[in-house]
Structures are given as structure tokens and as C-alpha cells.
């Protein structure tokens, strides 16, 4: 019997092959990195080169879910769009019902719950994306969570998803320090992406959120400046 034909059938050794194939789709997606500093949290993503006649503003890997919650993803863009819309509606309905914004863990749990639901019923397929979710709650402490296609979610100090994420995660493990300054957190996220992005700053997008919960997208010039400084450092070490 072919156990990968139906989502709801376990193989004899306990595998759900469709979920594993969804994880494989994530591994083929462009890389995204999240780093939590002392007073801010950073998302850095690898951008695909846009075609000459394409409007680059329409190709985004980082999306706001609410004023204080932001998400980056790796995997299938169309799946991400559907999940982002579901999450945004949940954020708004929570505000209407409770008259408070969602906590970062609540919306992460909701997204992971939607992803899990699509691993357990027939006639659907799992979402082919992993997400990194950042934000600040009322306690003004930076938060970083990750979810994957099976519906698992967990909190992280720094993490990477997408292609070559193992290499990037190992780099982060080696260089991450507790309570990093804002500058060091941004630098580490870009430095870790440069491990796998050969084309430099033009294919890197960085968004930063501080305790004011306002998301700031760094300009190409700012990213270029940091990349140049990192390259100069690397050259000096050699």
C-alpha cells in the first residue's frame, strides 16, 4: 500500500508522509532568520531576485498580522497568504471580543492550530510553510516564536527556517549572546544570512521591532552599509 496517497493514513512506522513532504517544501523555500535582542527583535529574510519588469513591492516575505505582531515565512507563498489572512482576521476578532490586542503566544498558538488542523482531515493538504513570529506584549519583552507544517510551535532566542536553515542555525548557536544590543542583534541576523546568500545586500530584507511595537523596514542602503562593514571585518580576520 502507498502510504503517501492519503493525508490521514499513518505508515506502519508512524510517519505521516504528506506532513514530511510539506516540511521538505519548507526546506526548498528561501531562508528567514529571527533574532531576539535585549530591547528589540529582528527578522531578516532572503529575497528572491525580482524579474526586470516586476514590481518588487508586491513580493514580500515579511507581513504584519497586527500593529504589534509580525511574521516571516519560508515555503509556498500562496499558502502563506492564506494563513496570514486567517491570522489577521483572528487578531481583529480578538480585539473586538476582548478589547485587547492578541498576545504573541496566543496568535502563534492559533496559527499552529490551523496548521495542525490541516494534517488531520481528509480532502486537504498541509500548509507548506514554516513561520517565524515576532512582537511585543504589554510587558515590553521581545518575543520570537516558530511554527512548522505539523502544527508544532516553540519560543526561541534565535532561529532560522527555509533552505540551509541547519547551517544558519549552527552559526546562530555559535555567535548568539544573551542580552545583545540593538546593533549587534541586527548585525548577527544579517551575518547569519550571508552564510548562504552569496549576492549580498540586494537579496536581503530586514525588519526590526522595538518596545514601541512599531515595525521598521530597513532601507537597502542601511542593509548595504552593514553588509559592507561585515565584509570588511571578515577581510581583516583573514
Amino acid at each position: 500500500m502507498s502510504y503517501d496517497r492519503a493525508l490521514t493514513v499513518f505508515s506502519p512506522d508512524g510517519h505521516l508522509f504528506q506532513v514530511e513532504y510539506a516540511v521538505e517544501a519548507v526546506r526548498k523555500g528561501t531562508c528567514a532568520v529571527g533574532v531576539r535582542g535585549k530591547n528589540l527583535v529582528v527578522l531578516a529574510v532572503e529575497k528572491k531576485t525580482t524579474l526586470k519588469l516586476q514590481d518588487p513591492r508586491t513580493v514580500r516575505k515579511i507581513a504584519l498580522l497586527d500593529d504589534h505582531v509580525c511574521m516571516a515565512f519560508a515555503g509556498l507563498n500562496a499558502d502563506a497568504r492564506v494563513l496570514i489572512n486567517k491570522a489577521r482576521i483572528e487578531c481583529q476578532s480578538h480585539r473586538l471580543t476582548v478589547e485587547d490586542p492578541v498576545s504573541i503566544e496566543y496568535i502563534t498558538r492559533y496559527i499552529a492550530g490551523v496548521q495542525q488542523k490541516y494534517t488531520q482531515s481528509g480532502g486537504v493538504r498541509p500548509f507548506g510553510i514554516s513561520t517565524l513570529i515576532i512582537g511585543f506584549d504589554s510587558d515590553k519583552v521581545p518575543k520570537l516564536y516558530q511554527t512548522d507544517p505539523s502544527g508544532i510551535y516553540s519560543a526561541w532566542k534565535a532561529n532560522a527556517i527555509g533552505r540551509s536553515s541547519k547551517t544558519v542555525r549552527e552559526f546562530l548557536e555559535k555567535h548568539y549572546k544573551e542580552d545583545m544590543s540593538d546593533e549587534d542583534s541586527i548585525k548577527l541576523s544579517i551575518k547569519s544570512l550571508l552564510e548562504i546568500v552569496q549576492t549580498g545586500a540586494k537579496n536581503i530584507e530586514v525588519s526590526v521591532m522595538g518596545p514601541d511595537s512599531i515595525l521598521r523596514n530597513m532601507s537597502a542602503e542601511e542593509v548595504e552599509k552593514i553588509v559592507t562593514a561585515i565584509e570588511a571585518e571578515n577581510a581583516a580576520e583573514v
Side-chain angles (χ1 to χ4, degrees), residues 80-139:
R81 193 177 66 238
V82 171
L83 200 54
I84 287 164
N85 283 341
K86 283 178 185 284
R88 282 174 173 167
I89 290 165
E90 180 61 27
C91 287
Q92 297 311 308
S93 82
H94 187 280
R95 273 182 190 268
L96 277 170
T97 313
V98 190
E99 294 187 358
D100 268 326
V102 292
S103 70
I104 312 305
E105 187 178 359
Y106 174 89
I107 197 61
T108 304
R109 194 166 61 240
Y110 173 81
I111 288 169
V114 172
Q115 286 179 296
Q116 194 281 331
K117 202 163 73 180
Y118 279 75
T119 68
Q120 218 176 354
S121 46
V124 296
R125 65 162 176 78
F127 282 94
I129 63 161
S130 279
T131 70
L132 289 174
I133 297 158
I134 64 163
F136 281 80
D137 291 329
S138 52
D139 59 4

Side-chain angles (χ1 to χ4, degrees), residues 3 9 13 20 23 37 51-52 59 61 66 73 101 103 127 140 150 167 181 185 190 212 214 217 224 232 234:
Y3 291 98
V9 180
D13 54 354
E20 289 179 16
V23 172
L51 299 170
K52 197 174 179 182
V59 185
K61 298 274 295 177
D66 201 347
F73 64 88
S103 70
F127 282 94
K140 300 297 176 197
S150 64
T167 310
S181 69
S185 303
I190 295 173
D212 56 1
I214 294 169
N217 297 317
E224 183 68 67
N234 293 345

Side-chain angles (χ1 to χ4, degrees), residues 19 56 74 80 88 103 153-154 221 226:
V19 176
R88 282 174 173 167
S103 70
Y153 76 93
S154 47
E221 290 74 28
I226 295 167

Side-chain angles (χ1 to χ4, degrees), residues 160-173:
I161 54 174
R163 77 177 181 97
S164 307
S165 56
K166 193 167 180 281
T167 310
V168 180
R169 200 176 297 119
E170 282 166 4
F171 182 88
L172 289 167
E173 283 167 6

Side-chain angles (χ1 to χ4, degrees), residues 34 151 174 189 215 219:
K174 213 178 287 180
S189 63
L215 187 77
S219 67

